[in-house]
Amino acid sequence: MGSLFRSEEMTLCQLFLQSEAAYACVSELGELGLVQFRDLNPDVNAFQRKFVNEVRRCDEMERKLRYLEKEIKKDGIPMLDTGESPEAPQPREMIDLEATFEKLENELREVNQNAEALKRNFLELTELKHILRKTQVFFDEAAPAIHVPNKSRNRYQQMADSNREEERVNLLGEEGIRAGGAGAQGQNLKLGFVAGVILRERLPAFERMLWRACRGNVFLRQAMIESPLEDPANGDKVYKSVFIIFFQGDQLKTRVKKICEGFRATLYPCPEAPTDRREMAMGVMTRIEDLNTVLGQTQDHRHRVLVAAAKNLKNWFVKVRKIKAIYHTLNLFNLDVTQKCLIAECWVPLLDIETIQIALRRGTERSGSSVPPILNRMETFEDPPTYNRTNKFTSAFQALINAYGVASYREMNPAPYTIITFPFLFAVMFGDLGHGAIMALFGLWMVLKEKPLAAKKTDNEIWNIFFGGRYIIFLMGVFSMYTGFVYNDIFSKSLNVFGSTWSINYNTSTVMTNKALQLNPGTNDYSGTPYPIGLDPVWQIAGNKIIFLNAYKMKISIIFGVIHMLFGVFVGLFNHRYFKNKLSIYCEFIPQVIFLVFLFFYMTLMMFIKWTSYSASSDTVRYSAGCAPSILITFINMVLFKPSAPVGECDPFMFAGQSGLQKFLVVVALLCVPWMLLAKPIMIMRSRKEHQPMAPYSNENGDAEGGLNQHNAAQPPVNQQGGTGGGHGHENEEMSEIFIHQGIHTIEYVLGSVSHTASYLRLWALSLAHAQLAEVLWNMVLKNGLQQEGWIGGIALWAIFGFWAILTVGILVLMEGLSAFLHTLRLHWVEFQSKFYAGLGYAFQPFSFEVILDASSSSSED
């Protein structure tokens, strides 16, 4: 848990591995997931590294497995997933895996090719069957060939010459087919024909092309095939039509066939004689039955192959990916001159060195090597990676912080404080006992069903976000229930748990006839004892409820904001103390605290003084409710040094000596501005001048700043890069840059203190908006259902309640919850973390099989 407050101490190590033991040792480190290797060959091309062939072999095996996976999914066969992660196979087992995958792929491809050939043959026979059936109808409708007189011939010739398109088609249809063709001298002419099938959507264009290209000298008959046919190439269902084209002469025959070829129509032989067509149809049906039998056997064999592969596919994927990851990592290592030893450099957590050494010894024993690995710590000035050890509860909060920026090495981590402040500030805006209960129950359900829900891996990004933040959602719901109880607000209604402390001293007729009556807290209307916890339920029906809640929630928003920012400034003190950066303590922390306390924390103190000093039941006029001064006006007059005069018996000041105290606080706060602006750069400049003769610009260890970074000498060499104070070192900066940087930092803090304090008013604004929206939804929707009577009222209430529940969950819980979440995130990233958090580090990314497999599975699902 200690690494949650501050990142783990990291050390750079050099690792020496014997060549025969390197694979097994890296495999053990991958299972452990605590070592981040550095690339020692950054200038070497990926295709020129030592183990590039092994990586290629793994890529090829992975390709074959993806092919098997695609075929398994195509047949809808479930893949066995035990959830276990097998160990990485030994290098010698790669040959067996390659042989197994090669055999499966070849067998499956052969089966698929045979099945495709059989399906193509089956399709052709099916199409031929439909052609023989449909063309029989066409021929039955046509009459025997008759003699066409010359008059008719000449008339057709004239129409052909005049290019009258419609009449030519009609004439050919009516006379040409019946005649079977005739010569100019009265001789009989024979019409030729072709038959085939074409995709149904291509048929209109096909007809137009035939008519135009053949100038209307062909006759087309077509009929749809009712049942869809399967495309053997991709298995899609397609709809086709049978057609038969009559024409005269070889020239038209050639033209018709070219058009059919262009539209990818399939032509089939069709005998002219009816007896021949019947015989062919019988033979086609016999072959179709035989093909169905063979296809069934082929599909059964394919199914058996895929079922056997599906049992081991997940484990095969894990093994191949582990092998690939190991060889990819080995490519980061260097070979020594004898090429018998591999040298690696890696970042490891200081606390886990012993665990890593045990894993290395275990890998050496597995490989059978007699030479133990060597792990040496190295000295470096390079910034180590940031590693915050988390669990399933804290990981979501840490992810919120890392989304803003990874902490600098050994910098204070905001995550542990965010665990409490984030759901609390969210609840201040979202406070409703009913809505909070809905959110808490949803989060609790995800927490309790954690394992089965995690096993159902999905690529739904929204669901993954919700599930990853299940503990955040649960805490936000629980805290919202608490603040909703304090606000005494449940679906815009109140709970009268302890009994109201207000009473009505009017009779019924007076109350009913005077809507402007008010309860006076200074009389017997108020018992003088406040409601035990939260708001009195009488405020829910009060006419001035919004006025009262505005003042109440506005003040608590400022109070929470100032405390939150002040806490952030004090967290920065822990950074300065850890890095022994005394200059930042004296020149930044102290003036920042004085500026924030003397102005804004003093404003919050005035709120408490006003609450405790002024009362409606006070016997002194000066401390009565009517004489209570405005905090905002008092604060503005304080900053502007504007005098305030008494008004009647009312004093503008709350206590004696307030005017002088306020002037003192403002003057000291204003003096803090040049203190923050100039003190640190001047001290750095003086320090550099004092040390320049001895070691000009020798600030490797921070000595050039005259003890400003003296903590470097006190820390191990591996931590010397942390001596900059979490990314705030200035040893290599020009003085002009230091002055500019400090000026920006000072202006940002001074102006930010004002704007950030005002930014916390979003707590009040969103809380008020949420409560008013809930009240509007109740009054305009559910209230109408409750006013109905009888059985009709029951049905109406059922329908209206469903509509109200949908709006409540969709708008008030989801949309308002998302809005409050984003505003809370902004308050933490900007208003809180800007006081101490640099976020200039980079994350620790260890070599871990678990991370690699999770990333691979998610990418394969996408």
Side-chain angles (χ1 to χ4, degrees):
M1 188 67 181
S3 66
L4 189 63
F5 290 91
R6 198 183 293 277
S7 61
E8 292 267 0
E9 289 190 51
M10 307 295 292
T11 182
L12 183 64
C13 294
Q14 193 172 37
L15 179 62
F16 296 88
L17 296 172
Q18 289 297 311
S19 297
E20 62 272 13
Y23 181 94
C25 290
V26 172
S27 174
E28 291 292 335
L29 294 178
E31 299 289 351
L32 198 60
L34 289 172
V35 176
Q36 177 178 330
F37 291 101
R38 301 172 63 187
D39 190 0
L40 300 183
N41 308 297
D43 300 327
V44 179
N45 191 291
F47 300 101
Q48 296 175 342
R49 303 201 178 194
K50 179 175 176 57
F51 300 99
V52 63
N53 291 328
E54 285 77 3
V55 173
R56 285 176 175 171
R57 289 167 61 189
C58 292
D59 286 335
E60 180 64 17
M61 287 192 290
E62 202 169 6
R63 181 197 62 78
K64 294 174 181 177
L65 290 177
R66 284 196 298 268
Y67 171 72
L68 291 173
E69 184 182 34
K70 183 182 72 173
E71 295 297 321
I72 289 171
K73 288 181 177 179
K74 184 187 296 184
D75 283 18
I77 300 173
M79 289 178 283
L80 182 63
D81 187 4
T82 59
E84 299 177 356
S85 179
E87 292 184 353
Q90 294 298 318
R92 57 180 175 273
E93 296 180 33
M94 278 185 66
I95 301 176
D96 298 335
L97 288 175
E98 285 177 314
T100 303
F101 301 157
E102 183 75 19
K103 178 183 176 183
L104 282 173
E105 184 192 27
N106 291 338
E107 185 175 4
L108 193 57
R109 287 192 183 278
E110 184 179 356
V111 170
N112 287 343
Q113 290 173 359
N114 293 337
E116 185 177 346
L118 291 172
K119 287 180 180 179
R120 187 175 291 108
N121 198 356
F122 179 80
L123 177 65
E124 293 173 354
L125 291 173
T126 305
E127 290 177 347
L128 182 57
K129 177 186 72 173
H130 286 290
I131 286 176
L132 293 173
R133 288 180 180 177
K134 301 295 182 182
T135 53
Q136 183 63 39
V137 178
F138 297 155
F139 282 110
D140 290 343
E141 292 177 353
I146 62 174
H147 181 76
V148 182
N150 291 337
K151 180 179 178 181
S152 176
R153 171 72 177 175
N154 293 334
R155 179 184 166 207
Y156 174 75
Q157 187 65 40
Q158 291 172 1
M159 287 188 298
D161 294 338
S162 63
N163 200 19
R164 296 171 59 184
E165 299 161 348
E166 292 184 3
E167 294 188 22
R168 285 191 317 215
V169 176
N170 294 335
L171 178 64
L172 185 59
E174 294 173 1
E175 298 179 356
I177 302 304
R178 289 200 305 268
Q185 289 77 29
Q187 62 183 8
N188 292 334
L189 294 178
K190 182 75 172 178
L191 285 183
F193 67 90
V194 292
V197 294
I198 190 172
L199 289 174
R200 193 175 298 177
E201 60 267 19
R202 296 178 183 170
L203 191 58
F206 180 62
E207 287 188 73
R208 288 195 299 270
M209 180 59 70
L210 276 173
W211 176 74
R212 291 174 180 173
C214 301
R215 302 192 179 187
N217 293 321
V218 297
F219 176 65
L220 172 70
R221 293 290 305 273
Q222 58 90 14
M224 292 187 297
I225 301 176
E226 293 79 8
S227 57
L229 304 177
E230 182 181 351
D231 188 345
N234 50 29
D236 294 339
K237 299 293 183 181
V238 294
Y239 288 88
K240 294 188 176 183
S241 293
V242 173
F243 66 86
I244 184 169
I245 304 171
F246 294 93
F247 51 82
Q248 180 182 339
D250 293 336
Q251 187 176 2
L252 281 179
K253 180 179 181 181
T254 304
R255 192 175 300 176
V256 166
K257 286 188 175 181
K258 287 183 178 180
I259 294 172
C260 292
E261 182 181 351
F263 279 87
R264 297 183 182 178
T266 308
L267 299 180
Y268 290 93
C270 182
E272 296 184 15
T275 55
D276 294 341
R277 285 197 296 272
R278 282 194 293 270
E279 290 179 3
M280 180 179 284
M282 293 175 61
V284 167
M285 293 302 297
T286 304
R287 292 176 62 188
I288 287 177
E289 291 178 0
D290 295 341
L291 271 178
N292 272 327
T293 304
V294 177
L295 270 173
Q297 294 175 351
T298 304
Q299 291 297 335
D300 288 342
H301 178 62
R302 166 188 162 88
H303 187 75
R304 287 193 299 270
V305 172
L306 292 178
V307 168
K311 295 179 181 179
N312 301 312
L313 190 68
K314 292 291 185 182
N315 285 343
W316 285 340
F317 263 121
V318 172
K319 290 181 179 180
V320 171
R321 285 167 178 165
K322 284 187 175 182
I323 297 172
K324 182 180 176 181
I326 292 172
Y327 281 118
H328 180 75
T329 304
L330 290 174
N331 276 333
L332 306 178
F333 297 179
N334 261 341
L335 280 171
D336 69 345
V337 290
T338 62
Q339 294 196 355
K340 293 183 180 180
C341 179
L342 290 172
I343 305 172
E345 291 182 6
C346 54
W347 291 107
V348 299
L350 198 59
L351 296 177
D352 295 317
I353 288 183
E354 186 176 351
T355 306
I356 293 169
Q357 289 175 336
I358 294 173
L360 290 173
R361 285 197 293 268
R362 190 164 55 244
T364 305
E365 293 172 359
R366 281 181 52 192
S367 64
S369 175
S370 58
V371 180
I374 301 173
L375 185 68
N376 293 329
R377 292 183 60 185
M378 299 174 61
E379 295 184 2
T380 180
F381 294 102
E382 184 180 346
D383 292 335
T386 301
Y387 176 44
N388 295 104
R389 211 182 298 265
T390 59
N391 52 38
K392 61 183 180 181
F393 174 72
T394 59
S395 59
F397 293 96
Q398 188 66 55
L400 289 180
I401 303 302
N402 292 341
Y404 175 80
V406 179
S408 302
Y409 178 66
R410 300 296 288 166
E411 185 181 26
M412 287 296 292
N413 183 20
Y417 318 110
T418 305
I419 294 175
I420 298 299
T421 59
F422 191 92
F424 177 74
L425 292 181
F426 170 87
V428 173
M429 292 182 276
F430 194 74
D432 187 290
L433 189 59
H435 302 151
I438 295 174
M439 185 174 291
L441 289 175
F442 176 61
L444 182 62
W445 172 74
M446 289 192 291
V447 170
L448 296 179
K449 297 289 184 179
E450 186 174 287
K451 291 185 178 179
L453 291 175
K456 297 178 181 179
K457 296 181 179 179
T458 175
D459 57 353
N460 189 316
E461 189 174 354
I462 296 177
W463 166 254
N464 291 334
I465 292 174
F466 279 146
F467 183 72
R470 57 193 178 277
Y471 289 100
I472 298 179
I473 294 174
F474 174 69
L475 284 181
M476 290 191 305
V478 171
F479 276 69
S480 297
M481 292 174 65
Y482 166 73
T483 54
F485 184 71
V486 172
Y487 295 158
N488 206 349
D489 195 354
I490 173 171
F491 299 119
S492 79
K493 295 300 172 185
S494 291
L495 296 175
N496 192 2
V497 180
F498 303 103
S500 176
T501 57
W502 293 80
S503 59
I504 300 176
N505 296 318
Y506 303 100
N507 55 39
T508 304
S509 60
T510 304
V511 172
M512 299 302 294
T513 56
N514 295 276
K515 295 184 177 180
L517 286 177
Q518 294 183 354
L519 300 180
N520 187 356
T523 63
N524 294 330
D525 295 340
Y526 178 58
S527 64
T529 304
Y531 197 68
I533 180 172
L535 293 178
D536 195 297
V538 76
W539 286 108
Q540 193 61 242
I541 58 174
N544 61 338
K545 177 183 69 171
I546 295 181
I547 299 175
F548 168 73
L549 290 179
N550 267 347
Y552 167 67
K553 292 184 177 180
M554 188 188 301
K555 289 182 175 63
I556 64 171
S557 298
I558 296 297
I559 292 171
F560 290 149
V562 172
I563 294 175
H564 198 213
M565 291 190 297
L566 198 57
F567 176 66
V569 176
F570 274 96
V571 173
L573 174 63
F574 293 102
N575 277 334
H576 302 324
R577 292 187 60 187
Y578 177 81
F579 295 113
K580 296 182 174 60
N581 199 342
K582 296 181 179 179
L583 188 62
S584 294
I585 296 177
Y586 297 137
C587 300
E588 289 182 355
F589 169 73
I590 294 178
Q592 286 176 356
V593 170
I594 293 175
F595 183 85
L596 195 61
V597 170
F598 280 22
L599 292 182
F600 299 98
F601 189 73
Y602 171 73
M603 181 174 62
T604 64
L605 289 179
M606 285 195 294
M607 296 177 188
F608 287 98
I609 294 173
K610 180 178 177 179
W611 285 338
T612 55
S613 298
Y614 295 86
S615 172
S617 58
S618 176
D619 297 332
T620 307
V621 177
R622 178 186 174 184
Y623 293 105
S624 62
C627 287
S630 169
I631 301 296
L632 180 59
I633 299 301
T634 303
F635 184 73
I636 293 175
N637 291 338
M638 165 186 166
V639 176
L640 297 179
F641 294 98
K642 185 177 180 180
S644 301
V647 179
E649 298 185 24
C650 297
D651 194 332
F653 298 107
M654 301 180 188
F655 54 88
Q658 182 179 352
S659 177
L661 176 63
Q662 290 181 167
K663 292 179 181 178
F664 170 76
L665 295 179
V666 174
V667 170
V668 174
L670 292 177
L671 289 176
C672 291
V673 177
W675 186 355
M676 287 185 283
L677 180 64
L678 302 173
K680 187 172 182 178
I682 292 174
M683 294 294 292
I684 294 176
M685 186 167 56
R686 290 181 57 188
S687 177
R688 287 185 177 181
K689 289 181 178 179
E690 292 175 1
H691 292 79
Q692 191 172 10
M694 293 181 292
Y697 297 102
S698 60
N699 40 31
E700 284 288 332
N701 296 322
D703 296 334
E705 292 191 15
L708 302 182
N709 291 315
Q710 292 174 1
H711 59 284
N712 289 335
Q715 292 184 354
V718 70
N719 290 333
Q720 288 180 0
Q721 67 285 346
T724 59
H728 295 287
H730 305 282
E731 56 271 12
N732 294 320
E733 285 189 68
E734 296 289 339
M735 283 308 305
S736 58
E737 294 180 0
I738 294 177
F739 273 100
I740 293 174
H741 178 272
Q742 196 66 23
I744 294 173
H745 184 74
T746 302
I747 295 172
E748 180 184 9
Y749 182 82
V750 173
L751 297 182
S753 297
V754 181
S755 63
H756 292 177
T757 303
S759 183
Y760 279 93
L761 289 175
R762 69 186 69 233
L763 299 174
W764 151 62
L766 266 74
S767 175
L768 192 65
H770 184 82
Q772 289 302 301
L773 192 58
E775 185 174 352
V776 168
L777 198 59
W778 181 284
N779 292 332
M780 296 186 65
V781 180
L782 192 59
K783 187 177 180 180
N784 296 327
L786 296 172
Q787 291 175 347
Q788 305 292 330
E789 297 182 356
W791 64 272
I792 297 179
I795 297 176
L797 179 60
W798 174 80
I800 292 174
F801 175 80
F803 183 61
W804 173 82
I806 292 173
L807 292 178
T808 297
V809 174
I811 297 178
L812 292 179
V813 176
L814 288 178
M815 293 181 62
E816 283 283 310
L818 178 61
S819 175
F821 177 88
L822 294 177
H823 282 284
T824 308
L825 196 61
R826 181 241 151 79
L827 289 177
H828 280 80
W829 281 357
V830 180
E831 278 71 26
F832 173 58
Q833 291 178 198
S834 64
K835 302 297 185 294
F836 67 94
Y837 190 65
L840 300 177
Y842 64 100
F844 177 58
Q845 296 177 333
F847 170 61
S848 170
F849 286 145
E850 183 180 359
V851 175
I852 293 171
L853 294 175
D854 287 343
S856 300
S857 61
S858 61
S859 62
S860 63
E861 288 174 2
D862 294 342

